[in-house]
Coordinates of all heavy atoms in Angstrom, one line a residue:
M1 N 1.5 -26.4 -19.9 CA 2.0 -26.5 -18.5 C 1.8 -25.1 -17.9 O 2.3 -24.2 -18.5 CB 3.4 -27.0 -18.3 CG 3.9 -27.0 -17.0 SD 5.5 -27.7 -16.7 CE 5.5 -29.3 -17.3
T2 N 1.1 -25.0 -16.8 CA 1.0 -23.7 -16.2 C 2.3 -23.3 -15.4 O 3.2 -24.1 -15.1 CB -0.2 -23.7 -15.2 OG1 0.2 -24.6 -13.9 CG2 -1.4 -24.1 -15.7
E3 N 2.4 -22.0 -15.1 CA 3.6 -21.5 -14.3 C 3.7 -22.1 -13.0 O 4.8 -22.4 -12.5 CB 3.5 -20.0 -14.2 CG 3.5 -19.3 -15.6 CD 4.6 -19.6 -16.4 OE1 5.8 -19.5 -15.9 OE2 4.4 -20.0 -17.5
K4 N 2.5 -22.4 -12.4 CA 2.6 -23.1 -11.0 C 3.0 -24.5 -11.3 O 3.8 -25.0 -10.4 CB 1.1 -23.2 -10.4 CG 0.8 -21.8 -9.9 CD -0.5 -22.1 -9.0 CE -1.7 -21.3 -9.3 NZ -2.9 -21.6 -8.4
E5 N 2.7 -25.2 -12.4 CA 3.3 -26.5 -12.5 C 4.7 -26.6 -12.7 O 5.3 -27.4 -12.5 CB 2.5 -27.2 -13.7 CG 0.9 -27.5 -13.3 CD 0.1 -27.8 -14.5 OE1 0.5 -27.4 -15.7 OE2 -0.9 -28.5 -14.4
K6 N 5.2 -25.4 -13.5 CA 6.6 -25.4 -13.7 C 7.3 -25.3 -12.5 O 8.4 -25.9 -12.2 CB 6.9 -24.1 -14.5 CG 6.6 -24.3 -16.1 CD 7.0 -23.0 -16.7 CE 6.3 -22.9 -18.2 NZ 6.7 -21.6 -18.7
L7 N 6.8 -24.4 -11.5 CA 7.4 -24.4 -10.2 C 7.4 -25.6 -9.5 O 8.4 -26.1 -8.9 CB 6.7 -23.3 -9.3 CG 7.2 -23.2 -7.9 CD1 8.7 -22.6 -7.9 CD2 6.3 -22.1 -7.2
G8 N 6.2 -26.4 -9.6 CA 6.1 -27.6 -8.9 C 7.1 -28.7 -9.4 O 7.7 -29.4 -8.6
K9 N 7.2 -28.7 -10.7 CA 8.2 -29.6 -11.3 C 9.6 -29.4 -10.9 O 10.4 -30.2 -10.6 CB 8.0 -29.6 -12.8 CG 8.7 -30.7 -13.7 CD 8.4 -30.6 -15.1 CE 9.2 -31.7 -15.9 NZ 8.8 -31.6 -17.2
Y10 N 10.0 -28.1 -10.8 CA 11.4 -27.8 -10.5 C 11.5 -28.1 -9.1 O 12.6 -28.6 -8.7 CB 11.5 -26.2 -10.7 CG 12.8 -25.6 -10.1 CD1 14.0 -25.8 -10.9 CD2 12.8 -25.0 -9.0 CE1 15.2 -25.5 -10.4 CE2 14.1 -24.5 -8.5 CZ 15.2 -24.6 -9.3 OH 16.5 -24.3 -8.9
L11 N 10.5 -27.8 -8.1 CA 10.9 -28.1 -6.6 C 10.7 -29.7 -6.5 O 11.5 -30.2 -5.7 CB 9.7 -27.5 -5.8 CG 9.7 -26.0 -5.7 CD1 8.6 -25.4 -5.1 CD2 11.0 -25.7 -5.1
T12 N 10.1 -30.4 -7.3 CA 10.2 -32.0 -7.3 C 11.6 -32.3 -7.6 O 12.2 -33.2 -6.9 CB 9.2 -32.5 -8.2 OG1 7.9 -32.2 -7.9 CG2 9.3 -34.2 -8.1
K13 N 12.2 -31.8 -8.6 CA 13.5 -32.1 -9.1 C 14.5 -31.9 -7.9 O 15.5 -32.6 -7.9 CB 13.8 -31.4 -10.5 CG 13.3 -32.0 -11.6 CD 13.7 -31.2 -12.9 CE 13.1 -31.7 -14.0 NZ 13.5 -31.0 -15.3
L14 N 14.3 -30.6 -7.3 CA 15.2 -30.3 -6.3 C 15.1 -31.3 -5.0 O 16.3 -31.7 -4.5 CB 14.9 -28.9 -5.7 CG 15.3 -27.7 -6.6 CD1 14.9 -26.4 -6.0 CD2 16.8 -27.6 -6.8
R15 N 13.9 -31.7 -4.8 CA 13.5 -32.7 -3.7 C 14.3 -33.9 -4.0 O 15.0 -34.6 -3.0 CB 12.2 -32.8 -3.4 CG 11.9 -33.8 -2.3 CD 10.5 -34.0 -2.0 NE 9.6 -34.4 -3.1 CZ 9.4 -35.6 -3.5 NH1 10.1 -36.6 -2.9 NH2 8.6 -35.8 -4.6
Q16 N 14.3 -34.3 -5.2 CA 14.8 -35.7 -5.6 C 16.4 -35.6 -5.7 O 17.0 -36.7 -5.8 CB 14.2 -36.1 -7.1 CG 12.8 -36.4 -7.0 CD 12.0 -36.7 -8.3 OE1 12.6 -36.3 -9.3 NE2 10.8 -37.2 -8.2
R17 N 17.0 -34.5 -5.5 CA 18.4 -34.4 -5.4 C 19.0 -34.5 -4.0 O 20.0 -34.6 -3.7 CB 18.8 -33.1 -6.0 CG 18.7 -33.0 -7.3 CD 19.3 -31.7 -7.9 NE 18.9 -31.5 -9.3 CZ 19.0 -30.4 -9.9 NH1 19.4 -29.2 -9.4 NH2 18.7 -30.2 -11.2
V18 N 18.0 -34.4 -3.0 CA 18.4 -34.5 -1.6 C 18.3 -35.9 -1.0 O 17.2 -36.6 -1.1 CB 17.4 -33.7 -0.6 CG1 17.8 -33.7 0.9 CG2 17.5 -32.1 -1.1
P19 N 19.5 -36.5 -0.6 CA 19.3 -37.9 -0.1 C 18.5 -38.1 1.1 O 18.6 -37.2 2.0 CB 20.9 -38.3 0.1 CG 21.6 -36.9 0.3 CD 20.7 -35.9 -0.5
S20 N 17.9 -39.2 1.2 CA 17.1 -39.6 2.4 C 17.9 -39.9 3.5 O 19.0 -40.8 3.2 CB 16.1 -40.6 1.9 OG 15.4 -41.0 3.2
E21 N 17.8 -39.5 4.6 CA 18.4 -40.0 5.9 C 17.7 -40.9 6.6 O 18.2 -41.6 7.5 CB 18.8 -38.6 6.7 CG 19.7 -37.8 6.1 CD 20.0 -36.4 6.9 OE1 19.5 -36.3 8.0 OE2 20.6 -35.6 6.3
E22 N 16.3 -41.1 6.5 CA 15.5 -42.0 7.2 C 14.9 -43.2 6.6 O 14.6 -44.2 7.0 CB 14.3 -41.1 7.7 CG 14.9 -40.0 8.6 CD 13.6 -39.2 9.2 OE1 12.4 -39.7 9.0 OE2 13.7 -38.1 9.7
Y23 N 14.9 -43.1 5.2 CA 14.2 -44.1 4.5 C 15.1 -44.8 3.6 O 16.3 -44.2 3.2 CB 13.0 -43.7 3.7 CG 11.9 -43.1 4.6 CD1 11.8 -41.6 4.6 CD2 11.1 -43.8 5.5 CE1 10.9 -41.0 5.3 CE2 10.2 -43.2 6.2 CZ 10.0 -41.8 6.2 OH 9.0 -41.1 7.0
S24 N 14.9 -45.9 2.9 CA 15.8 -46.6 2.0 C 15.5 -46.3 0.7 O 15.3 -47.0 -0.2 CB 15.8 -48.1 2.2 OG 14.4 -48.6 2.0
K25 N 15.4 -45.0 0.4 CA 15.1 -44.4 -0.9 C 16.5 -43.6 -1.4 O 17.2 -43.2 -0.6 CB 14.0 -43.5 -1.0 CG 12.8 -44.3 -0.8 CD 11.4 -43.4 -1.0 CE 10.2 -44.0 -0.8 NZ 9.0 -43.2 -1.0
D26 N 16.5 -43.3 -2.6 CA 17.6 -42.5 -3.0 C 17.5 -41.0 -2.8 O 18.4 -40.3 -2.7 CB 17.8 -42.6 -4.6 CG 18.2 -44.0 -5.1 OD1 18.8 -44.7 -4.2 OD2 18.0 -44.3 -6.2
H27 N 16.2 -40.6 -2.6 CA 16.0 -39.3 -2.3 C 14.9 -39.1 -1.2 O 14.2 -40.0 -0.9 CB 15.5 -38.5 -3.5 CG 14.3 -39.0 -4.3 ND1 13.0 -38.7 -3.6 CD2 14.1 -39.9 -5.3 CE1 12.2 -39.2 -4.4 NE2 12.8 -40.1 -5.4
I28 N 14.8 -37.8 -0.6 CA 14.0 -37.5 0.4 C 12.5 -37.6 -0.1 O 12.2 -37.3 -1.3 CB 14.3 -36.2 1.1 CG1 13.7 -35.9 2.3 CG2 14.0 -35.1 0.1 CD1 14.2 -34.6 3.1
S29 N 11.6 -38.1 0.7 CA 10.3 -38.1 0.4 C 9.6 -36.9 0.7 O 10.1 -36.1 1.5 CB 9.5 -39.3 1.1 OG 9.4 -39.2 2.4
Q30 N 8.4 -36.7 0.3 CA 7.6 -35.6 0.8 C 7.3 -35.6 2.2 O 7.5 -34.6 2.9 CB 6.3 -35.5 0.0 CG 6.2 -35.1 -1.4 CD 4.9 -35.1 -2.1 OE1 3.8 -35.5 -1.5 NE2 4.9 -34.5 -3.3
Q31 N 7.1 -36.7 2.7 CA 6.8 -36.9 4.2 C 8.0 -36.6 5.0 O 8.0 -35.9 6.1 CB 6.3 -38.4 4.6 CG 6.0 -38.6 6.0 CD 4.8 -37.6 6.4 OE1 3.7 -37.8 5.7 NE2 5.0 -36.8 7.3
E32 N 9.2 -37.1 4.5 CA 10.4 -36.8 5.3 C 10.8 -35.4 5.1 O 11.2 -34.7 6.3 CB 11.6 -37.7 4.6 CG 12.9 -37.6 5.5 CD 14.1 -38.3 4.8 OE1 13.8 -39.2 4.0 OE2 15.2 -38.4 5.4
L33 N 10.6 -34.6 4.1 CA 10.7 -33.2 3.9 C 9.8 -32.5 4.9 O 10.2 -31.6 5.7 CB 10.5 -32.8 2.6 CG 10.9 -31.4 2.1 CD1 12.4 -31.3 2.2 CD2 10.5 -31.2 0.7
A34 N 8.6 -32.9 5.1 CA 7.6 -32.3 5.9 C 8.0 -32.5 7.3 O 7.9 -31.5 8.2 CB 6.3 -32.8 5.6
D35 N 8.4 -33.9 7.7 CA 8.7 -34.1 9.1 C 9.8 -33.2 9.8 O 9.9 -32.9 10.9 CB 9.0 -35.6 9.3 CG 7.9 -36.4 8.9 OD1 6.7 -36.1 9.0 OD2 8.1 -37.8 8.9
N36 N 10.8 -32.9 8.9 CA 12.0 -32.3 9.4 C 12.0 -30.8 9.3 O 12.9 -30.1 9.8 CB 13.2 -32.8 8.8 CG 13.4 -34.3 9.0 OD1 13.1 -34.9 10.0 ND2 14.0 -35.0 8.0
N37 N 10.9 -30.2 8.8 CA 11.0 -28.7 8.5 C 9.7 -27.8 8.8 O 9.6 -26.9 8.3 CB 11.6 -28.5 7.0 CG 12.9 -29.2 6.9 OD1 13.9 -28.6 7.4 ND2 12.9 -30.4 6.2
G38 N 8.8 -28.5 9.5 CA 7.7 -27.8 9.8 C 6.7 -27.5 8.7 O 5.9 -26.5 8.9
L39 N 6.7 -28.1 7.7 CA 5.9 -28.1 6.6 C 5.0 -29.2 6.6 O 5.3 -30.2 7.3 CB 6.7 -28.0 5.2 CG 7.7 -26.9 5.1 CD1 8.6 -27.1 3.9 CD2 7.0 -25.5 5.0
T40 N 3.8 -29.2 5.9 CA 3.0 -30.3 5.8 C 3.2 -31.1 4.5 O 3.7 -30.5 3.5 CB 1.5 -30.1 5.9 OG1 1.1 -29.3 4.8 CG2 1.3 -29.2 7.2
K41 N 3.1 -32.5 4.4 CA 3.2 -33.2 3.2 C 2.1 -32.8 2.2 O 2.4 -32.8 1.1 CB 2.9 -34.7 3.6 CG 3.0 -35.6 2.4 CD 2.7 -37.0 2.7 CE 2.8 -37.8 1.5 NZ 2.3 -39.4 1.7
Y42 N 0.9 -32.3 2.8 CA 0.0 -31.9 1.9 C 0.3 -30.6 1.3 O 0.2 -30.6 0.0 CB -1.4 -31.6 2.8 CG -2.5 -30.9 2.0 CD1 -3.3 -31.8 1.2 CD2 -2.6 -29.6 1.9 CE1 -4.3 -31.2 0.4 CE2 -3.8 -29.0 1.1 CZ -4.5 -29.8 0.4 OH -5.4 -29.2 -0.4
L43 N 1.0 -29.8 1.9 CA 1.4 -28.5 1.2 C 2.5 -28.7 0.1 O 2.4 -28.2 -1.0 CB 2.0 -27.4 2.2 CG 2.5 -26.2 1.7 CD1 1.5 -25.4 1.1 CD2 3.4 -25.4 2.7
I44 N 3.5 -29.6 0.5 CA 4.5 -30.0 -0.4 C 3.9 -30.6 -1.6 O 4.2 -30.3 -2.9 CB 5.5 -31.0 0.2 CG1 6.2 -30.1 1.4 CG2 6.6 -31.5 -0.8 CD1 7.0 -31.0 2.3
G45 N 2.9 -31.5 -1.6 CA 2.3 -32.2 -2.6 C 1.4 -31.2 -3.4 O 1.6 -31.3 -4.7
T46 N 0.9 -30.2 -2.9 CA -0.1 -29.3 -3.7 C 0.9 -28.4 -4.5 O 0.6 -28.1 -5.6 CB -1.0 -28.4 -2.8 OG1 -0.3 -27.8 -1.8 CG2 -2.0 -29.3 -2.3
I47 N 2.2 -28.0 -3.8 CA 3.1 -27.1 -4.6 C 3.6 -27.9 -5.8 O 3.8 -27.5 -6.8 CB 4.1 -26.6 -3.7 CG1 3.6 -25.8 -2.5 CG2 5.2 -26.1 -4.4 CD1 4.6 -25.4 -1.5
E48 N 4.0 -29.3 -5.4 CA 4.7 -30.0 -6.5 C 3.6 -30.3 -7.7 O 4.1 -30.5 -8.9 CB 5.2 -31.3 -5.9 CG 6.5 -31.1 -5.1 CD 7.2 -32.4 -4.8 OE1 6.7 -33.5 -5.0 OE2 8.2 -32.2 -4.0
R49 N 2.4 -30.4 -7.4 CA 1.4 -30.7 -8.4 C 0.9 -29.3 -9.1 O 0.2 -29.4 -10.1 CB 0.3 -31.4 -7.8 CG 0.4 -32.8 -7.4 CD -0.9 -33.4 -7.1 NE -1.7 -32.9 -6.0 CZ -1.3 -33.0 -4.7 NH1 -0.3 -33.9 -4.2 NH2 -2.2 -32.5 -3.7
G50 N 1.5 -28.2 -8.6 CA 1.1 -27.1 -9.3 C -0.2 -26.4 -8.8 O -0.8 -25.7 -9.6
E51 N -0.7 -27.0 -7.7 CA -2.1 -26.5 -7.2 C -2.0 -25.4 -6.2 O -3.0 -24.8 -6.0 CB -2.8 -27.8 -6.6 CG -3.0 -28.8 -7.6 CD -3.4 -30.1 -7.0 OE1 -3.5 -30.2 -5.6 OE2 -3.7 -31.0 -7.7
A52 N -0.9 -25.2 -5.6 CA -0.9 -24.2 -4.4 C -0.4 -22.8 -4.8 O 0.3 -22.7 -5.8 CB 0.1 -24.9 -3.3
N53 N -0.7 -21.9 -4.0 CA -0.1 -20.5 -4.0 C 0.6 -20.4 -2.8 O 0.2 -19.6 -1.9 CB -1.2 -19.5 -4.1 CG -1.9 -19.5 -5.5 OD1 -1.2 -19.5 -6.6 ND2 -3.2 -19.4 -5.5
P54 N 1.9 -20.8 -2.7 CA 2.6 -20.8 -1.4 C 3.0 -19.3 -1.1 O 3.4 -18.7 -2.0 CB 3.9 -21.7 -1.5 CG 4.1 -21.7 -3.1 CD 2.7 -21.6 -3.7
T55 N 3.1 -19.0 0.1 CA 3.6 -17.7 0.5 C 5.1 -17.6 0.4 O 5.7 -18.7 0.3 CB 3.2 -17.4 1.9 OG1 3.8 -18.4 2.8 CG2 1.7 -17.4 2.2
L56 N 5.7 -16.6 0.6 CA 7.1 -16.3 0.4 C 7.7 -17.1 1.7 O 8.6 -17.8 1.6 CB 7.5 -14.8 0.5 CG 9.0 -14.6 0.6 CD1 9.7 -15.2 -0.7 CD2 9.3 -13.0 0.6
D57 N 7.2 -16.9 2.8 CA 7.5 -17.7 4.0 C 7.5 -19.2 3.8 O 8.6 -19.8 4.0 CB 6.7 -17.4 5.2 CG 6.8 -16.0 5.8 OD1 7.7 -15.2 5.3 OD2 6.1 -15.7 6.7
K58 N 6.6 -19.8 3.2 CA 6.6 -21.2 3.0 C 7.7 -21.5 1.9 O 8.3 -22.6 2.2 CB 5.3 -21.6 2.5 CG 4.1 -21.4 3.5 CD 4.3 -22.4 4.6 CE 3.1 -22.2 5.6 NZ 3.3 -22.7 6.9
L59 N 7.8 -20.7 0.9 CA 9.0 -21.1 -0.1 C 10.3 -21.0 0.6 O 11.1 -21.8 0.2 CB 8.8 -20.1 -1.3 CG 7.6 -20.3 -2.2 CD1 7.6 -19.2 -3.3 CD2 7.7 -21.6 -2.9
I60 N 10.5 -20.0 1.5 CA 11.8 -20.0 2.1 C 12.0 -21.2 2.9 O 13.2 -21.7 3.0 CB 11.9 -18.7 2.9 CG1 11.8 -17.5 1.9 CG2 13.2 -18.8 3.7 CD1 13.0 -17.4 1.0
F61 N 11.1 -21.6 3.7 CA 11.1 -22.9 4.6 C 11.2 -23.9 3.7 O 12.1 -24.8 4.1 CB 9.9 -23.0 5.6 CG 10.0 -22.1 6.8 CD1 9.2 -21.0 7.0 CD2 10.9 -22.4 7.8 CE1 9.3 -20.2 8.0 CE2 11.0 -21.6 8.9 CZ 10.1 -20.4 9.0
L62 N 10.8 -24.1 2.6 CA 11.0 -25.1 1.7 C 12.3 -25.1 1.1 O 13.0 -26.2 1.0 CB 9.9 -25.1 0.6 CG 9.9 -26.2 -0.4 CD1 9.7 -27.5 0.3 CD2 8.8 -26.1 -1.5
A63 N 12.9 -24.0 0.8 CA 14.3 -23.8 0.3 C 15.2 -24.3 1.3 O 16.1 -25.1 1.1 CB 14.5 -22.4 -0.1
K64 N 14.9 -24.0 2.6 CA 15.8 -24.4 3.7 C 15.8 -25.9 3.9 O 16.8 -26.6 4.0 CB 15.4 -23.7 5.1 CG 16.0 -24.2 6.3 CD 17.4 -23.6 6.3 CE 18.0 -23.8 7.7 NZ 19.4 -23.5 7.8
A65 N 14.5 -26.5 3.7 CA 14.3 -28.0 3.8 C 15.1 -28.7 2.7 O 15.5 -29.7 2.9 CB 13.0 -28.3 3.8
L66 N 15.2 -28.0 1.5 CA 15.9 -28.6 0.3 C 17.3 -28.3 0.4 O 18.1 -28.4 -0.6 CB 15.3 -28.1 -0.9 CG 13.9 -28.5 -1.1 CD1 13.1 -27.7 -2.3 CD2 13.9 -30.0 -1.4
K67 N 17.9 -27.7 1.4 CA 19.3 -27.4 1.7 C 19.9 -26.2 0.8 O 21.1 -26.3 0.4 CB 20.1 -28.6 1.6 CG 19.7 -29.6 2.6 CD 20.5 -31.0 2.6 CE 20.0 -32.1 3.5 NZ 19.5 -31.9 4.7
L68 N 18.9 -25.3 0.3 CA 19.4 -24.3 -0.4 C 19.8 -23.1 0.5 O 19.2 -22.9 1.5 CB 18.2 -23.8 -1.4 CG 17.7 -24.8 -2.3 CD1 16.5 -24.2 -3.0 CD2 18.8 -25.3 -3.3
K69 N 21.0 -22.4 0.2 CA 21.6 -21.4 1.0 C 20.9 -20.0 0.7 O 20.6 -19.2 1.4 CB 23.0 -21.2 1.1 CG 23.5 -22.5 1.6 CD 23.4 -22.6 3.0 CE 24.1 -23.8 3.6 NZ 23.7 -24.1 5.0
K70 N 20.6 -19.9 -0.7 CA 20.0 -18.6 -1.2 C 19.1 -19.1 -2.4 O 19.3 -20.0 -3.0 CB 21.2 -17.8 -1.8 CG 22.1 -17.3 -0.7 CD 23.2 -16.4 -1.2 CE 24.1 -16.0 -0.1 NZ 25.1 -15.1 -0.4
V71 N 18.2 -18.0 -2.5 CA 17.2 -18.1 -3.6 C 17.2 -16.8 -4.2 O 17.3 -15.8 -3.7 CB 15.8 -18.7 -3.2 CG1 15.8 -20.1 -2.7 CG2 15.1 -17.9 -2.1
N72 N 16.8 -16.8 -5.5 CA 16.5 -15.5 -6.2 C 15.0 -15.4 -6.6 O 14.5 -16.3 -7.2 CB 17.3 -15.5 -7.6 CG 18.8 -15.3 -7.3 OD1 19.2 -14.5 -6.7 ND2 19.6 -16.1 -7.7
I73 N 14.6 -14.3 -6.2 CA 13.1 -14.0 -6.4 C 13.1 -12.7 -6.9 O 13.6 -11.7 -6.3 CB 12.3 -14.1 -5.2 CG1 12.4 -15.5 -4.8 CG2 10.8 -13.7 -5.5 CD1 11.7 -15.7 -3.4
F74 N 12.5 -12.4 -8.2 CA 12.5 -11.1 -8.8 C 13.8 -10.4 -9.0 O 14.1 -9.2 -8.7 CB 11.6 -10.0 -8.1 CG 10.2 -10.4 -7.9 CD1 9.5 -10.7 -6.7 CD2 9.5 -10.7 -9.1 CE1 8.2 -10.9 -6.6 CE2 8.1 -10.9 -9.0 CZ 7.6 -11.1 -7.8
E75 N 15.0 -11.3 -9.2 CA 16.2 -11.0 -9.4 C 16.9 -10.3 -8.0 O 17.9 -9.6 -8.1 CB 16.5 -9.9 -10.5 CG 16.0 -10.6 -11.9 CD 16.1 -9.7 -13.0 OE1 16.8 -8.6 -12.9 OE2 15.5 -10.0 -14.0
I76 N 16.3 -10.7 -7.0 CA 16.7 -10.3 -5.6 C 17.2 -11.6 -5.1 O 16.5 -12.6 -4.9 CB 15.6 -9.7 -4.8 CG1 15.1 -8.4 -5.4 CG2 16.2 -9.4 -3.4 CD1 14.0 -7.8 -4.8
E77 N 18.4 -11.6 -4.6 CA 19.1 -12.7 -3.8 C 18.6 -12.7 -2.3 O 18.8 -11.7 -1.7 CB 20.5 -12.8 -4.0 CG 21.1 -14.1 -3.4 CD 22.6 -14.2 -3.5 OE1 23.0 -14.7 -4.6 OE2 23.2 -13.7 -2.6
I78 N 17.9 -13.7 -1.9 CA 17.6 -13.7 -0.5 C 18.3 -14.9 0.3 O 18.3 -16.1 -0.2 CB 16.0 -14.2 -0.4 CG1 15.2 -13.0 -0.9 CG2 15.5 -14.3 1.1 CD1 13.7 -13.2 -1.2
N79 N 18.9 -14.4 1.3 CA 19.8 -15.3 2.1 C 18.6 -16.1 3.0 O 17.9 -15.6 3.8 CB 20.7 -14.6 3.2 CG 21.5 -15.5 4.0 OD1 20.9 -16.3 4.8 ND2 22.8 -15.4 3.9
V80 N 18.6 -17.4 2.9 CA 17.4 -18.3 3.4 C 17.7 -18.3 5.0 O 16.7 -18.0 5.7 CB 17.6 -19.7 2.9 CG1 16.6 -20.6 3.7 CG2 17.2 -19.8 1.5
D81 N 18.9 -18.5 5.5 CA 18.9 -18.6 7.0 C 18.7 -17.1 7.5 O 18.0 -17.1 8.7 CB 20.4 -18.9 7.3 CG 20.6 -20.5 7.0 OD1 19.7 -21.2 7.2 OD2 21.7 -20.8 6.8
R82 N 19.2 -16.1 7.0 CA 18.9 -14.7 7.6 C 17.4 -14.4 7.5 O 16.8 -13.9 8.4 CB 19.6 -13.6 6.7 CG 19.4 -12.3 7.3 CD 20.0 -11.2 6.6 NE 21.5 -11.4 6.4 CZ 22.2 -10.7 5.6 NH1 21.6 -9.7 4.7 NH2 23.5 -10.8 5.6
Y83 N 16.7 -14.8 6.5 CA 15.2 -14.5 6.4 C 14.5 -15.2 7.5 O 13.6 -14.8 8.2 CB 14.7 -15.0 5.0 CG 13.3 -14.6 4.8 CD1 12.9 -13.7 4.1 CD2 12.2 -15.6 5.1 CE1 11.6 -13.3 3.8 CE2 10.9 -15.3 5.0 CZ 10.5 -14.2 4.3 OH 9.2 -13.9 4.1
I84 N 14.9 -16.6 7.6 CA 14.1 -17.4 8.7 C 14.4 -16.7 10.1 O 13.6 -16.6 11.0 CB 14.6 -18.8 8.6 CG1 14.0 -19.5 7.3 CG2 14.1 -19.6 9.9 CD1 14.5 -20.8 7.1
K85 N 15.7 -16.3 10.3 CA 16.0 -15.6 11.6 C 15.1 -14.3 11.8 O 14.7 -14.2 12.9 CB 17.5 -15.3 11.6 CG 18.0 -14.8 12.9 CD 19.4 -14.5 12.9 CE 19.9 -14.0 14.2 NZ 21.4 -13.7 14.2
E86 N 15.0 -13.6 10.8 CA 14.4 -12.3 10.9 C 12.8 -12.6 11.2 O 12.2 -11.9 12.0 CB 14.4 -11.5 9.6 CG 15.8 -10.9 9.5 CD 16.0 -10.3 8.1 OE1 15.2 -10.4 7.1 OE2 17.1 -9.7 7.8
I87 N 12.2 -13.6 10.6 CA 10.8 -13.8 10.9 C 10.6 -14.4 12.2 O 9.5 -14.1 12.8 CB 10.1 -14.5 9.7 CG1 10.6 -16.0 9.5 CG2 10.2 -13.9 8.5 CD1 9.8 -16.8 8.6
K88 N 11.5 -15.2 12.6 CA 11.4 -15.8 14.0 C 11.6 -14.7 15.1 O 11.1 -14.9 16.2 CB 12.3 -16.9 14.2 CG 12.1 -18.1 13.4 CD 12.8 -19.3 13.7 CE 12.4 -20.5 12.9 NZ 13.3 -21.7 13.2
N89 N 12.3 -13.7 14.8 CA 12.5 -12.6 15.8 C 11.5 -11.4 15.8 O 11.6 -10.5 16.5 CB 14.0 -12.0 15.6 CG 15.1 -12.9 15.8 OD1 14.9 -13.7 16.8 ND2 16.2 -12.8 15.2
K90 N 10.4 -11.6 15.0 CA 9.5 -10.5 15.0 C 8.6 -10.6 16.1 O 8.3 -11.6 16.8 CB 8.5 -10.8 13.7 CG 9.3 -10.1 12.6 CD 8.3 -10.2 11.3 CE 9.1 -9.5 10.0 NZ 8.2 -9.5 9.0

């Protein structure tokens, strides 16, 4: 398994923990995740399959969509809401 595939598998597990608000499924679908957060289903699918090289911005928006408050990258804790606010104010 490649490192990108590990990331994709981890993100799939995170998505499967978020309950669906629109569909009669136990967890949010890629489409529902995309619809509510400015991401595309295609991008989410390629990340989950380990095919994409998502930017930090895309990963942060994905973290927000997955209802994460903070993420750790290179042992640096990033506040998801603050990061999004900063890039929107540029």
